[in-house]
């Protein structure tokens, strides 16, 4: 009995992955094995960098809060310590947004915890 191969499905799978690798450099876009390996590696990078993005944003927020706090006469660590002692639970994302877009509100928070 001859071997049965589902060419329709295997060709569709190859076409789908080669379509995803369009725009890659050299053989990475049109040679099946190279394109498949590149695409799989890209998925691992995407998984890793979704987590690294969170780190990068937290770092950016801390820098912004620190800069605004120093303008108001405190350091970042002093401000965060004073916030926790005062029982004010406000996250870094919101604090950084206030520091950038609403300096008056940020200054009011600093003055409230500085007492």
């Amino acid at each position: 009995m001859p071997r049965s191969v589902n060419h329709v499905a295997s060709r569709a799978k190859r076409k789908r992955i080669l379509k995803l690798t369009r725009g890659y450099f050299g053989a990475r876009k049109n040679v099946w094995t190279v394109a498949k390996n590149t695409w799989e590696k890209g998925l691992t990078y995407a998984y890793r960098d979704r987590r690294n993005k969170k780190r990068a944003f937290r770092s950016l927020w801390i820098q912004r809060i620190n800069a605004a706090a120093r303008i108001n006469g405190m350091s970042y660590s002093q401000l965060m310590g004073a916030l926790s002692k005062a029982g004010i639970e406000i996250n870094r994302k919101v604090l950084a947004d206030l520091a950038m877009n609403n300096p008056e509100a940020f200054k009011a928070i600093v003055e409230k915890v500085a007492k």
Side-chain angles (χ1 to χ4, degrees):
M1 185 174 229
R3 180 167 164 255
S4 176
V5 181
N6 189 353
H7 279 296
V8 175
S10 58
R11 184 175 296 115
K13 182 179 179 182
R14 281 197 298 273
K15 276 183 71 173
R16 180 175 56 87
I17 291 177
L18 286 173
K19 186 178 178 185
L20 291 170
T21 59
R22 271 191 356 209
Y24 287 11
F25 180 80
R28 291 169 167 243
K29 69 174 160 279
N30 56 6
V31 176
W32 165 242
T33 52
V34 179
K36 183 170 69 79
N37 291 339
T38 304
W39 173 72
E40 287 173 349
K41 185 78 165 185
L43 291 179
T44 63
Y45 285 142
Y47 178 83
R48 178 197 70 189
D49 290 335
R50 279 193 297 274
R51 279 129 194 92
N52 287 353
K53 185 168 119 180
K54 294 165 183 56
R55 292 183 212 164
F57 269 103
R58 183 181 168 99
S59 173
L60 176 67
W61 297 332
I62 289 171
Q63 290 172 23
R64 287 178 175 175
I65 294 166
N66 190 23
R70 287 184 186 275
I71 289 170
N72 290 298
M74 281 184 125
S75 70
Y76 169 79
S77 61
Q78 290 170 340
L79 175 65
M80 297 312 283
L83 281 170
S84 64
K85 276 185 187 172
I88 299 173
E89 292 185 14
I90 185 166
N91 65 21
R92 288 165 181 80
K93 182 178 180 179
V94 173
L95 268 176
D97 186 57
L98 286 174
M100 290 289 293
N101 300 320
N102 198 347
E104 305 85 33
F106 187 83
K107 187 174 183 176
I109 291 171
V110 172
E111 287 172 355
K112 182 168 177 68
V113 298
K115 294 176 185 174

